[in-house]
Amino acid sequence: MKEKTRTVLFWFILIQPFLDLYWFYHGKLADVLPFTLPTIIRILAVFVIFCMFFSQKQNWQKLGKNKWLLFYLALLIIYSALHLLHVKHFNSVNPNDYNYSTVSEIFYLIRMILPLLVIFFTTELDFTRDQFRHVIEGISGLFSFTIVISNLFVISLRSYETGPISANIFEWFFNPNIGYSHMASKGFFNFANMVSAVLFMLVPLMLYFMFSHFNWKTVTLNIVQALAMIELGTKVALIGLIGGIIIGILLYVFHLFIVKDVTKNGKAILVALLIEIGAMAIIPFGPAIQRYNYEKFLAQQSDNSLTVAKKELTAGLKKYPSGKKRKQFLTEFIEEHYQDYALSKKFVTKSYPYKYDPKLWLKIMNEPGTARMQNRHVEKAMLDQVVKTNNNKLDMFLGISYTRETNIFNLERDFTSQIYSLGWIGMLLFVGQYVAIMLYAFVKWLMNKKKRTYLISSMLLSIAFMLFAAFSSGNVMDFLTASFILAFVEGGLLVEIKAKN
């Protein structure tokens, strides 16, 4: 039964890219059931694995002896009950209370527990190194080949905005006026940032496989993944590729000359360096650099073109120093000029509607263009105002709810995002565990020379990359595709750390 359970979990992790296809979250497939189809499939799959694992009596007995795990489960249950009671009552300027739903919040808490269960099952089922390698290479191949092939045939979805791309990678070099949003490709997946974070995480592991199992397959997978990360066109993918390869090579050199647990592989080093050089040559023509230059230009243009609007605003505020007429003037001014200030229509009209609280938007409009165009800055400003309006000190510890936060806007900075939605306690219980496991393994790596293997080092670096991507770009820890893959790697790391030498 243990082997069967391991096989089910193996294939379940391997199919995660398929469960992130765009059409599951948009269009008819997204409206078939109250919750998205991939989430329901994942809940059912984890439930099946749970039943298979605990159908063996010895596993129940083993769980009963693990007092720390039982204590942690008790904390999760107590926190969840307190969180649901706390977020039920809320003060807001928005009459619809940001569409809060207790059912949706319970569903979210269940979702957050699923990857934690995967860590537990992966650890207990003792995956072999070959099985671990096959899963990681499979995930890399499914994401990367989909992006690269769909880009080649110009059928990929855009990483930014909606619809298909307008040009493939070959056209980048001949037409500089394509525009980054028409170039950046995410294949057929839902969130470009999430895919970028996963591929960033896989860079050290894919390099490890190439250095330790050098063959045409590992070389091809590394090259295709590098191309996919360039074509994604996100900052995370760009930094992850360039920085990840350099750090990955340095890690190999550290183990070659300092730890001395690997043999020299000149061919693999040469391939890794050629991938880095090739990436550096392509990137100046790619969407990531074009986006950076465009946003910088747009911020400067916005600041330079606001002279008339700023005069109108100053005159209006002077004419209406207080009262209803001041609010009416501000409301009308924001409606007419928010685009001049390069503010997102979704933020101003839907996330935190200007008609309910024009003062916030006045404050943001008075900031420099570089600040106004930083989505994370504006997202945080909206959430801070919501928390301030509710005026409940317990929000810091128990959150304002994931449902409210995402209906405002899902802050693109994990860990900070969960502090808003779940509070400090919930963040530590649900997503702090990923950091805790990494730190635990790192301490073991430092203290025990026999645990200082190239594989464990690569796993630690991989997890650190994912957590960095989650904090810097968001859309990772709350999205099951990424969190399941991260959970599987962390489970594999614990297996290696606990294994007898």
Side-chain angles (χ1 to χ4, degrees):
M1 181 57 74
K2 183 176 182 179
E3 189 175 338
K4 289 181 180 178
T5 310
R6 186 167 55 226
T7 301
V8 172
L9 182 56
F10 174 96
W11 286 105
F12 172 64
I13 299 299
L14 194 56
I15 67 166
Q16 290 308 307
F18 292 111
L19 297 178
D20 192 57
L21 292 176
Y22 177 86
W23 298 283
F24 282 128
Y25 303 90
H26 304 272
K28 292 181 180 180
L29 279 176
D31 300 325
V32 171
L33 297 166
F35 304 104
T36 58
L37 193 58
T39 303
I40 293 170
I41 292 171
R42 284 165 171 145
I43 290 174
L44 292 174
V46 174
F47 178 72
V48 168
I49 294 167
F50 180 91
C51 292
M52 292 177 71
F53 182 81
F54 285 109
S55 65
Q56 297 173 284
K57 187 178 179 181
Q58 65 268 28
N59 289 333
W60 279 111
Q61 293 171 342
K62 191 175 179 180
L63 178 64
K65 294 177 182 178
N66 194 331
K67 293 180 181 179
W68 284 109
L69 184 58
L70 293 174
F71 177 69
Y72 173 63
L73 290 173
L75 283 179
L76 284 179
I77 294 168
I78 293 168
Y79 164 80
S80 297
L82 292 174
H83 170 76
L84 291 170
L85 285 171
H86 168 70
V87 299
K88 193 172 182 180
H89 305 286
F90 200 81
N91 299 313
S92 69
V93 295
N94 195 321
N96 69 4
D97 192 22
Y98 308 109
N99 295 314
Y100 172 74
S101 164
T102 300
V103 174
S104 296
E105 195 67 14
I106 292 171
F107 200 66
Y108 169 70
L109 294 173
I110 293 171
R111 276 174 45 204
M112 293 298 283
I113 291 172
L114 298 180
L116 300 176
L117 290 172
V118 167
I119 295 175
F120 172 75
F121 292 134
T122 305
T123 306
E124 294 296 319
L125 293 170
D126 297 327
F127 278 82
T128 66
R129 290 179 179 178
D130 279 343
Q131 289 169 332
F132 178 80
R133 177 166 59 87
H134 292 150
V135 170
I136 297 303
E137 288 182 342
I139 291 169
S140 171
L142 288 170
F143 275 124
S144 302
F145 275 101
T146 302
I147 293 168
V148 170
I149 293 171
S150 61
N151 174 277
L152 183 64
F153 290 99
V154 199
I155 56 175
S156 169
L157 297 174
R158 299 183 192 181
S159 296
Y160 305 99
E161 301 178 8
T162 57
I165 57 171
S166 302
N168 65 22
I169 190 169
F170 294 109
E171 295 177 70
W172 297 359
F173 304 97
F174 305 104
N175 185 358
N177 301 314
I178 298 169
Y180 76 89
S181 67
H182 294 268
M183 300 162 64
S185 313
K186 64 178 181 180
F188 306 121
F189 304 111
N190 194 30
F191 279 107
N193 268 359
M194 188 281 298
V195 178
S196 300
V198 170
L199 293 182
F200 185 11
M201 180 184 74
L202 297 185
V203 168
L205 295 174
M206 295 306 296
L207 287 174
Y208 166 80
F209 297 139
M210 185 169 72
F211 284 122
S212 58
H213 300 83
F214 186 81
N215 54 46
W216 68 268
K217 179 183 174 183
T218 56
V219 170
T220 302
L221 284 170
N222 274 275
I223 292 171
V224 174
Q225 179 171 317
L227 274 175
M229 294 176 79
I230 294 169
E231 291 172 355
L232 272 164
T234 65
K235 291 177 184 177
V236 168
L238 176 62
I239 294 168
L241 177 60
I242 300 302
I245 291 176
I246 293 172
I247 297 171
I249 293 173
L250 291 175
L251 182 67
Y252 173 75
V253 171
F254 172 77
H255 277 272
L256 181 62
F257 294 108
I258 306 299
V259 182
K260 297 180 179 179
D261 65 330
V262 296
T263 55
K264 188 176 180 181
N265 192 333
K267 290 181 180 178
I269 293 175
L270 179 62
V271 170
L273 289 172
L274 288 174
I275 291 173
E276 182 80 356
I277 293 167
M280 293 292 287
I282 297 171
I283 282 169
F285 301 93
I289 298 298
Q290 283 210 17
R291 184 192 178 202
Y292 171 77
N293 292 332
Y294 175 74
E295 288 182 345
K296 187 178 178 182
F297 166 76
L298 200 62
Q300 292 172 346
Q301 190 181 51
S302 175
D303 283 341
N304 295 336
S305 64
L306 285 175
T307 307
V308 176
K310 284 181 177 179
K311 286 182 179 178
E312 182 184 336
L313 177 61
T314 303
L317 294 175
K318 188 176 180 181
K319 185 177 180 180
Y320 305 111
S322 61
K324 291 183 178 179
K325 287 189 176 180
R326 181 185 177 90
K327 184 177 181 180
Q328 183 181 350
F329 163 75
L330 273 176
T331 303
E332 291 173 356
F333 178 85
I334 293 166
E335 183 178 7
E336 185 178 351
H337 293 288
Y338 73 87
Q339 289 180 322
D340 297 331
Y341 285 83
L343 292 171
S344 166
K345 182 179 181 180
K346 187 174 183 179
F347 287 165
V348 177
T349 62
K350 186 178 179 182
S351 297
Y352 194 82
Y354 65 92
K355 60 183 179 181
Y356 299 130
D357 188 4
K359 288 182 181 179
L360 172 67
W361 293 110
L362 173 63
K363 179 184 175 183
I364 292 172
M365 287 190 301
N366 285 328
E367 295 177 344
T370 50
R372 295 194 307 271
M373 290 190 66
Q374 286 290 325
N375 283 350
R376 291 172 186 83
H377 171 72
V378 179
E379 291 159 12
K380 190 173 185 301
M382 292 189 292
L383 291 169
D384 283 338
Q385 189 70 6
V386 170
V387 172
K388 183 180 177 181
T389 302
N390 188 44
N391 193 27
N392 189 327
K393 292 180 180 179
L394 288 176
D395 287 345
M396 181 184 294
F397 305 103
L398 297 173
I400 64 171
S401 84
Y402 173 79
T403 311
R404 286 192 186 92
E405 189 209 346
T406 49
N407 285 332
I408 297 165
F409 202 88
N410 193 24
L411 178 62
E412 296 171 280
R413 177 148 286 159
D414 282 333
F415 299 103
T416 304
S417 172
Q418 284 80 29
I419 290 172
Y420 282 105
S421 61
L422 298 171
W424 271 98
I425 298 173
M427 185 278 288
L428 291 172
L429 285 174
F430 283 99
V431 300
Q433 299 303 313
Y434 300 101
V435 180
I437 290 170
M438 181 188 71
L439 293 176
Y440 165 78
F442 182 63
V443 170
K444 291 287 187 182
W445 183 92
L446 284 173
M447 296 178 68
N448 188 344
K449 286 185 178 180
K450 292 179 180 179
K451 298 301 177 187
R452 219 169 291 163
T453 68
Y454 183 32
L455 175 57
I456 290 177
S457 297
S458 299
M459 286 177 159
L460 280 168
L461 184 60
S462 169
I463 292 166
F465 280 177
M466 173 66 101
L467 296 179
F468 171 77
F471 179 75
S472 61
S473 71
N475 295 331
V476 174
M477 308 309 293
D478 286 334
F479 293 83
L480 290 177
T481 301
S483 57
F484 272 134
I485 296 169
L486 173 61
F488 181 73
V489 175
E490 292 214 334
L493 175 61
L494 289 174
V495 169
E496 290 293 325
I497 289 293
K498 293 179 180 180
K500 293 180 179 180
N501 299 316

